[in-house]
Amino acid sequence: MTRGNPCQLPGMLSNYDPNDSEAGMKILEDLTENVEQIQQRVLEEIITRNARTDYLKGFLDGQFDKQVFKKTVPVVNYEDIKPYIERIANGDSSNIISAEPIIELLTSSGTSGGQPKMMPSTAEDLHRKTFFYNLLVPVMNKYVDGLDEGKAMYLLFVKPETKTPSGLMARPVLTSYYKSNNFKNRPFNRFNVYTSPDETILCSDSKQSMYCQLLCGLVQRQEVLRVGAVFASAFLRAIKFLEHNWKELCSNIRTGHVSDWITDPGCRKVVSLVLNKPKPELADLIEHECNSKSWEGIIKKLWPRTKYIEVIVTGSMAQYVSTLEYYSGGLPLVSTMYASSECYFGINFKPLSKPWDVSYTLIPNMAYFEFLPVKKKNEDGAQYVQCNGVCKENCMEKETEKEDVETVELVDVKLGQYYELVVTTFTGLYRYRVGDILMVTGFHNKAPQFRFVHRRNVVLSVDTDKTSEEDLLKAVTKAKVIVESLGILLIEYTSYADTSSIPGHYVLFWEITSKGNNHLPVLDHKIMEQCCSTVEESLDSVYRRCRRKDNSIGPLEIRVVQHGTFDALMDFCVSQGSSVNQYKTPRCIKSGEAINILDSRVVARFFSQKAPFWEPV
Ligand code: AMP
């Protein structure tokens, strides 16, 4: 067993000191040079460990062979494995899918039947994540000097968790990681010193957590070299919070006394230590900046030594780039990694590249990766479903039937091609369709690099919510019943995610008419607001959590438009190349011009007046 040589131990993880950037770079070079061997060893190891699980036994019939694995184990969606996950949640032994004990279930932002999907996780998996996080350090150090000379103001949060009937924790992947010993007892690493004490990150009251983290960040402003959050939406939420609370934060800094409503004992204790004593000059300085009319470039003004903002701005988060640029004053936006509840996938080896140029290199010892080819529009005559998600690309998703699925291995993907990612993990997922569409943009050594294109079936997303066309249709159908009982018909609808203000919110455009004549009915405010609430109540649990608990989505809005508006939308789409014969109203629109066409014909606007019901799974 050679320390630091991942080729010898692909499934295991080399233990290296993240303070040692050279060793880190060497590991990354090894990993990306030996992709094929590592992927083969990973698959071998997963099969060897798990061939006797109920799940694999059924397909492999006692054989440990990779070819048999690929021939007999089907490519699956969550619905196919849900019964196994539910059995484990209800007390069955986890070895029905994984030889390693499953210690918790990670609740994904992807949903099934309205509830978060649950992904298995093992103790070893936490080490795999730590290994992955440690690899980010040498990559950043390669491009940005002196990160060990100051601190990172990362605003990190935990989310609510529950226990399954069998007593396993069910919680989001990051909550699981921050609460683990791998995070809490992490060895000191001079490249990763945070301004937020762990107690503030681990505080379950998100408002207290946000307040305390910002307070600590402001007090240590001269030491801050980078700022960030996991997703762009969360970082912008923090800026909005600051906009609403800077006076109180400054008053705390001025007096050296933390506000009384900070009642979490852990937070109070650590924040008082950071605050230490009254700092009137610092409070004056911050107040001066926050008081200025425009908040353009506020990040650089408040944290003047900041070199970059670390937030994911790819995928659905790309909609926040311009707002972030406004607040950042031209700082680079850095998306470091691509990961999920299923598995951590890839690292951005060129962290300073522009958001639209970001590619992720999949790390070959994280899982066994396969790829389902996705055709580009009009590439052949087959039936395709239009990809009208957050993606602006001209790609189409083929409705893949289980029988005709042919995957490609990591080393065999082709430059410029689109693929859906399929993973076989160390935690009990076998040939599992993640649902993300990626495009190959290049290679780092022998490791392919991918641009995140979009997530399959997602049409609306403001924060971590992922609403499909089907979810939207179901929700609108419920609201439609309300107006129909009053003699009003919903003729057409479409939607878009309005992120022009923070938090963003869903907007539905409705064209309605009175039954029996073609007139716009008189609209009752209460009824229309009820329609807004009904749509919200009918959306999935991640939407409802973001809206109710995290306040990361604002009240849903219905904009009623004049008669003929959807004809005007059709004319526009046809003028842009849609076929008149095959035209179908898009259920979600992205184009600014199309939104303007609808917006210019709005006759009334209604907002949901109450946050929808939500509780943990
Ligand atoms: P979850 O399972 O809730 O953690 O969500 C994981 C999903 O978030 C992934 O499958 C992607 O669809 C999306 N995601 C994660 N990281 C990125 C990224 N860097 N860029 C774009 N989308 C991402």
Side-chain angles (χ1 to χ4, degrees):
M1 288 204 327
T2 320
R3 236 171 88 98
N5 186 348
C7 303
Q8 300 212 349
L9 275 176
M12 305 297 167
L13 305 160
S14 35
N15 222 344
Y16 80 99
D17 175 4
N19 287 297
D20 183 350
S21 269
E22 217 175 294
M25 282 319 286
K26 169 81 176 66
I27 290 178
L28 281 171
E29 289 303 294
D30 281 350
L31 284 166
T32 50
E33 268 300 343
N34 301 291
V35 178
E36 187 164 10
Q37 300 89 312
I38 296 174
Q39 281 283 278
Q40 291 312 313
R41 289 287 309 273
V42 164
L43 181 58
E44 242 167 57
E45 191 156 327
I46 294 175
I47 299 176
T48 312
R49 284 190 199 178
N50 297 294
R52 291 188 190 83
T53 58
D54 282 10
Y55 185 83
L56 280 189
K57 214 166 42 188
F59 301 113
L60 297 180
D61 199 19
Q63 300 180 73
F64 288 72
D65 186 86
K66 284 180 286 188
Q67 293 316 320
V68 176
F69 176 86
K70 290 192 69 176
K71 242 196 196 134
T72 59
V73 177
V75 172
V76 291
N77 285 305
Y78 186 73
E79 302 313 315
D80 301 303
I81 57 157
K82 193 174 175 181
Y84 289 87
I85 303 279
E86 285 183 343
R87 275 169 63 189
I88 294 168
N90 288 321
D92 224 338
S93 161
S94 58
N95 64 22
I96 59 174
I97 58 166
S98 165
E100 286 279 311
I102 286 166
I103 56 163
E104 59 187 324
L105 293 170
L106 305 177
T107 51
S108 155
S109 57
T111 54
S112 153
Q115 292 300 334
K117 294 172 181 168
M118 291 193 287
M119 300 301 165
S121 180
T122 62
E124 185 205 51
D125 204 41
L126 284 168
H127 302 315
R128 188 162 280 108
K129 285 172 181 141
T130 302
F131 170 79
F132 185 97
Y133 282 122
N134 285 341
L135 288 182
L136 301 175
V137 177
V139 176
M140 263 346 288
N141 286 345
K142 184 171 167 192
Y143 290 93
V144 185
D145 285 336
L147 290 176
D148 55 343
E149 289 158 16
K151 297 188 177 182
M153 186 187 75
Y154 289 154
L155 306 166
L156 306 175
F157 303 92
V158 292
K159 300 235 155 107
E161 56 193 18
T162 48
K163 272 200 173 148
T164 67
S166 64
L168 289 180
M169 289 314 279
R171 52 193 176 189
V173 56
L174 293 174
T175 301
S176 147
Y177 192 75
Y178 301 149
K179 289 196 169 184
S180 73
N181 286 331
N182 289 49
F183 179 77
K184 289 195 289 194
N185 300 331
R186 60 197 181 276
F188 176 78
N189 169 357
R190 59 199 162 87
F191 293 101
N192 260 342
V193 183
Y194 300 156
T195 53
S196 296
D198 287 1
E199 289 80 351
T200 62
I201 294 171
L202 295 170
C203 172
S204 59
D205 180 323
S206 55
K207 194 170 168 202
Q208 293 193 45
S209 170
M210 175 78 89
Y211 187 90
C212 292
Q213 293 196 54
L214 282 170
L215 188 52
C216 292
L218 286 168
V219 171
Q220 300 170 78
R221 66 190 281 272
Q222 282 300 346
E223 292 170 73
V224 171
L225 299 184
R226 54 212 161 125
V227 299
V230 177
F231 288 112
S233 53
F235 189 72
L236 286 171
R237 204 155 67 245
I239 296 179
K240 277 287 143 188
F241 187 93
L242 187 58
E243 246 179 279
H244 292 133
N245 294 282
W246 62 266
K247 285 189 180 142
E248 185 178 340
L249 287 159
C250 286
S251 143
N252 287 185
I253 295 170
R254 185 178 306 288
T255 59
H257 176 83
V258 190
S259 293
D260 290 341
W261 66 271
I262 302 298
T263 50
D264 180 278
C267 280
R268 270 206 89 77
K269 192 168 152 214
V270 289
V271 177
S272 303
L273 284 176
V274 174
L275 212 49
N276 189 20
K277 58 174 192 236
K279 296 186 169 70
E281 295 87 21
L282 179 60
D284 284 347
L285 226 146
I286 297 169
E287 234 166 43
H288 173 75
E289 298 299 355
C290 293
N291 235 336
S292 85
K293 263 206 199 100
S294 156
W295 268 40
E296 189 168 359
I298 191 76
I299 301 296
K300 260 188 123 164
K301 291 179 188 160
L302 290 177
W303 293 280
R305 292 177 67 204
T306 304
K307 296 172 191 248
Y308 61 89
I309 302 185
E310 189 174 321
V311 279
I312 290 175
V313 281
T314 46
S316 63
M317 293 295 148
Q319 61 191 324
Y320 295 110
V321 168
S322 54
T323 316
L324 277 168
E325 280 172 344
Y326 173 83
Y327 288 118
S328 76
L331 289 165
L333 302 174
V334 173
S335 298
T336 55
M337 59 187 266
Y338 164 44
S340 79
S341 315
E342 291 88 338
C343 169
Y344 281 21
F345 305 122
I347 292 178
N348 174 3
F349 282 168
K350 293 206 176 111
L352 297 184
S353 48
K354 294 281 178 213
W356 45 90
D357 289 331
V358 169
S359 289
Y360 299 100
T361 304
L362 297 198
I363 303 300
N365 65 346
M366 288 290 117
Y368 176 66
F369 299 112
E370 292 174 80
F371 299 85
L372 283 169
V374 173
K375 290 270 168 14
K376 276 185 88 174
K377 203 172 184 176
N378 302 332
E379 212 169 82
D380 65 14
Q383 269 294 300
Y384 295 111
V385 174
Q386 179 144 27
C387 129
N388 55 355
V390 179
C391 152
K392 290 199 185 82
E393 313 224 1
N394 201 21
C395 78
M396 308 287 272
E397 288 171 26
K398 189 174 179 185
E399 279 285 271
T400 23
E401 293 301 326
K402 272 190 204 158
E403 306 84 70
D404 85 329
V405 167
E406 280 267 350
T407 61
V408 171
E409 299 211 347
L410 183 59
V411 282
D412 292 327
V413 297
K414 299 273 176 294
L415 192 68
Q417 293 284 315
Y418 292 82
Y419 298 95
E420 181 184 338
L421 180 61
V422 173
V423 287
T424 295
T425 68
F426 287 92
T427 55
L429 299 176
Y430 307 99
R431 311 194 81 200
Y432 177 83
R433 288 173 73 168
V434 173
D436 291 342
I437 310 294
L438 311 176
M439 192 195 96
V440 184
T441 53
F443 293 84
H444 180 93
N445 295 328
K446 303 215 171 74
Q449 301 181 298
F450 297 88
R451 178 156 79 232
F452 182 92
V453 178
H454 74 137
R455 190 170 171 99
R456 191 157 52 102
N457 291 337
V458 171
V459 291
L460 285 171
S461 176
V462 164
D463 187 27
T464 51
D465 52 306
K466 296 174 171 62
T467 298
S468 69
E469 193 165 324
E470 198 187 341
D471 298 335
L472 190 65
L473 172 67
K474 272 192 202 144
V476 169
T477 304
K478 290 214 172 125
K480 198 168 115 175
V481 173
I482 301 173
V483 285
E484 273 177 359
S485 66
L486 301 169
I488 296 172
L489 286 178
L490 173 61
I491 310 175
E492 272 296 8
Y493 74 92
T494 190
S495 65
Y496 89 106
D498 182 349
T499 50
S500 58
S501 55
I502 305 295
H505 70 288
Y506 287 15
V507 174
L508 300 182
F509 291 98
W510 277 20
E511 188 170 323
I512 55 182
T513 183
S514 296
K515 265 187 201 160
N517 65 43
N518 236 359
H519 298 137
L520 188 69
V522 180
L523 296 168
D524 181 312
H525 250 270
K526 283 258 148 14
I527 297 283
M528 290 306 294
E529 285 166 3
Q530 198 189 330
C531 288
C532 297
S533 301
T534 302
V535 173
E536 292 201 298
E537 290 292 354
S538 316
L539 290 172
D540 74 22
S541 114
V542 176
Y543 175 90
R544 287 181 283 111
R545 190 200 65 216
C546 289
R547 170 83 171 91
R548 185 177 186 101
K549 176 88 182 123
D550 305 344
N551 291 319
S552 57
I553 301 182
L556 182 135
E557 180 184 1
I558 292 179
R559 295 184 191 163
V560 176
V561 292
Q562 289 165 12
H563 275 293
T565 300
F566 278 79
D567 293 338
L569 179 66
M570 179 175 83
D571 292 344
F572 170 75
C573 291
V574 169
S575 77
Q576 300 295 300
S578 285
S579 138
V580 188
N581 294 330
Q582 287 163 2
Y583 177 77
K584 283 199 239 69
T585 305
R587 292 303 170 208
C588 178
I589 47 176
K590 306 272 180 274
S591 136
E593 263 180 277
I595 293 167
N596 286 341
I597 288 170
L598 298 172
D599 258 342
S600 63
R601 291 164 171 83
V602 170
V603 291
R605 299 169 62 163
F606 305 92
F607 288 90
S608 169
Q609 296 298 313
K610 60 177 191 336
F613 173 78
W614 175 83
E615 64 179 5
V617 190

